[in-house]
Structures are given as structure tokens and as C-alpha cells.
Amino acid sequence: MLSARIDRISTQQQIHKFYIAIEFYTEMVLKKILIIDVDETLLNIECVNYLKLFKPDYKKLEGKYMSFSSISYFLCLRPYTRDFLNYAKEKYLLVAYSIAKKDVTLEKLKILNIHQFFTRIYGYEDLVNQKKSLIKV
């Protein structure tokens, strides 16, 4: 009796995964893919020490702080980035790309709370021989 129930639950989970895969595939067929560069296109990233010296009014900007390799950075979205992403998500499958490592790129997107817009995220390790050419999208 218990094994029959487990089999039924397992089958239901497989069916659910199958439907999710079909939805994703259908969305990919119906929408084109838009690859968006993250650094200096969607967001502005500056070393905090640089900002303190050359742009002391940077604290007036809406942004977040991020530390990487013991250096503090200030991240902020470009104007109207959320509006653009909301509009683009309706028409395209969005893919984020950065020359930085994938985990760092994902962290930046999460800090600014825009990671949910992207279907995939690619970074330095996804380049062919670490040259400026993506392996696959």
C-alpha cells in the first residue's frame, strides 16, 4: 500500500516537472532571446574609495554596497532599468551576461533585486577559452 502511494507521488512529481519543462520550452519557442550586459549597461559600479575622492555626493544616489576581494563597491541601477526590464520580459527571454564570474554577477543582481528578470546568467567561466565569445546561450 505504501509503495503504491510513493509510486503515485513520484509519478505526479514527474508529470509536474514535465509540464514545467513544456511551459519553458514553449516560452523559448515563442520568444526571442535578449542578452543584456550587466556591468555599466544595467548597473553602474564604482569603487567606494574613488567615489569618496571624486564624487562626494554619491550618497544621494539610490544604491547598495558590495564587498569583493576586500574592496567596497557602490552599485546602482541606471535610470529606468526596472521599467526596461519589465517591458523587455514581456517580449523576450532575458539573459544576463558579464565578464565577471557568474557568482559575482548573480550576487550583484540579487543585491539590486533584479535577478528574477533573467532566465539565465552567464559569466567569465562561460566564455570559450576565456575569450569574448559565449559557449552557448
Side-chain angles (χ1 to χ4, degrees), residues 12-25:
Q12 288 172 344
Q13 289 172 341
Q14 289 173 341
I15 291 170
H16 181 68
K17 286 179 184 178
F18 178 72
Y19 280 122
I20 290 173
I22 287 175
E23 283 180 18
F24 182 72
Y25 178 75

Side-chain angles (χ1 to χ4, degrees), residues 96-103 120-137:
Y97 167 76
S98 176
I99 195 68
K101 290 188 176 183
K102 186 188 298 188
D103 58 338
R120 299 255 166 91
I121 297 170
Y122 291 102
Y124 176 79
E125 58 270 20
D126 296 310
L127 297 175
V128 176
N129 299 323
Q130 275 58 50
K131 293 180 182 173
K132 292 185 176 184
S133 176
L134 280 174
I135 295 171
K136 62 180 179 177
V137 174

Side-chain angles (χ1 to χ4, degrees), residues 25 28 38 56 68 84 92 103:
Y25 178 75
M28 283 183 62
V38 174
F68 181 71
F84 166 74
Y92 302 96
D103 58 338

Side-chain angles (χ1 to χ4, degrees), residues 11-135:
T11 304
Q12 288 172 344
Q13 289 172 341
Q14 289 173 341
I15 291 170
H16 181 68
K17 286 179 184 178
F18 178 72
Y19 280 122
I20 290 173
I22 287 175
E23 283 180 18
F24 182 72
Y25 178 75
T26 303
E27 188 177 18
M28 283 183 62
V29 169
L30 297 176
K31 290 184 176 181
K32 292 182 180 180
I33 297 172
L34 179 61
I35 301 172
I36 303 172
D37 179 52
V38 174
D39 300 318
E40 302 305 327
T41 302
L42 282 185
L43 57 93
N44 193 9
I45 180 169
E46 292 288 348
C47 178
V48 172
N49 291 334
Y50 170 85
L51 292 173
K52 286 178 181 176
L53 287 173
F54 297 105
K55 296 183 181 179
D57 62 338
Y58 77 94
K59 292 183 181 180
K60 294 177 184 175
L61 299 172
E62 285 186 38
K64 306 272 178 152
Y65 293 93
M66 173 185 179
S67 291
F68 181 71
S69 298
S70 72
I71 299 174
S72 293
Y73 294 95
F74 183 75
L75 305 169
C76 63
L77 291 175
R78 296 271 183 193
Y80 304 105
T81 298
R82 287 189 198 283
D83 295 338
F84 166 74
L85 292 173
N86 279 318
Y87 176 78
K89 188 167 174 114
E90 294 174 13
K91 310 257 184 226
Y92 302 96
L93 286 177
L94 301 181
V95 173
Y97 167 76
S98 176
I99 195 68
K101 290 188 176 183
K102 186 188 298 188
D103 58 338
V104 174
T105 302
L106 180 59
E107 186 178 346
K108 290 179 210 174
L109 297 174
K110 283 184 176 180
I111 287 172
L112 294 171
N113 198 24
I114 58 171
H115 65 283
Q116 70 277 6
F117 288 102
F118 299 98
T119 305
R120 299 255 166 91
I121 297 170
Y122 291 102
Y124 176 79
E125 58 270 20
D126 296 310
L127 297 175
V128 176
N129 299 323
Q130 275 58 50
K131 293 180 182 173
K132 292 185 176 184
S133 176
L134 280 174
I135 295 171

Side-chain angles (χ1 to χ4, degrees), residues 1-6:
M1 181 75 163
L2 182 59
S3 66
R5 183 166 181 214
I6 291 172

